[in-house]
């Protein structure tokens, strides 16, 4: 079973990236990305990679990011 931890600070994103945690991204209360890992981030953008050629760019101020953690 998994639970979700909200990513808000640079430290949250850095730790999730180092652990290679799976990420779920919401925009306007809809899931727009799920299951990828963070490959890069800055103050404006988070880059999520779900597969070899599946890379998505999400704006930090428009989306909510959640780390999927195992219990």
């Amino acid at each position: 079973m998994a639970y979700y931890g909200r990513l808000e600070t640079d430290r949250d994103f850095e730790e999730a990236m180092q652990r290679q945690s799976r990420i779920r991204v919401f925009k306007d209360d809809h899931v727009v990305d799920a299951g990828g890992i963070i490959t890069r981030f800055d103050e404006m953008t988070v880059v999520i990679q779900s597969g070899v050629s599946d890379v998505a760019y999400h704006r930090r101020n428009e989306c909510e990011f959640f780390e999927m953690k195992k219990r």
Side-chain angles (χ1 to χ4, degrees), residues 27-43:
K27 184 175 181 182
D28 299 326
D29 295 327
H30 291 67
V31 175
V32 295
D33 201 344
I37 59 171
I38 298 172
T39 57
R40 285 191 321 261
F41 70 92
D42 61 23
E43 61 277 347

Side-chain angles (χ1 to χ4, degrees), residues 2-62:
Y3 73 98
Y4 306 101
R6 186 180 181 127
L7 304 176
E8 295 178 346
T9 66
D10 283 349
R11 183 175 180 180
D12 295 340
F13 284 100
E14 182 68 36
E15 290 174 356
M17 186 170 72
Q18 289 176 355
R19 286 192 293 268
Q20 295 188 343
S21 299
R22 298 293 175 186
I23 304 297
R24 195 164 276 184
V25 183
F26 290 83
K27 184 175 181 182
D28 299 326
D29 295 327
H30 291 67
V31 175
V32 295
D33 201 344
I37 59 171
I38 298 172
T39 57
R40 285 191 321 261
F41 70 92
D42 61 23
E43 61 277 347
M44 297 184 64
T45 307
V46 177
V47 181
I48 307 284
Q49 184 171 9
S50 299
V52 173
S53 63
D54 188 11
V55 178
Y57 295 80
H58 301 286
R59 292 193 171 276
R60 277 178 74 166
N61 63 347
E62 295 177 1

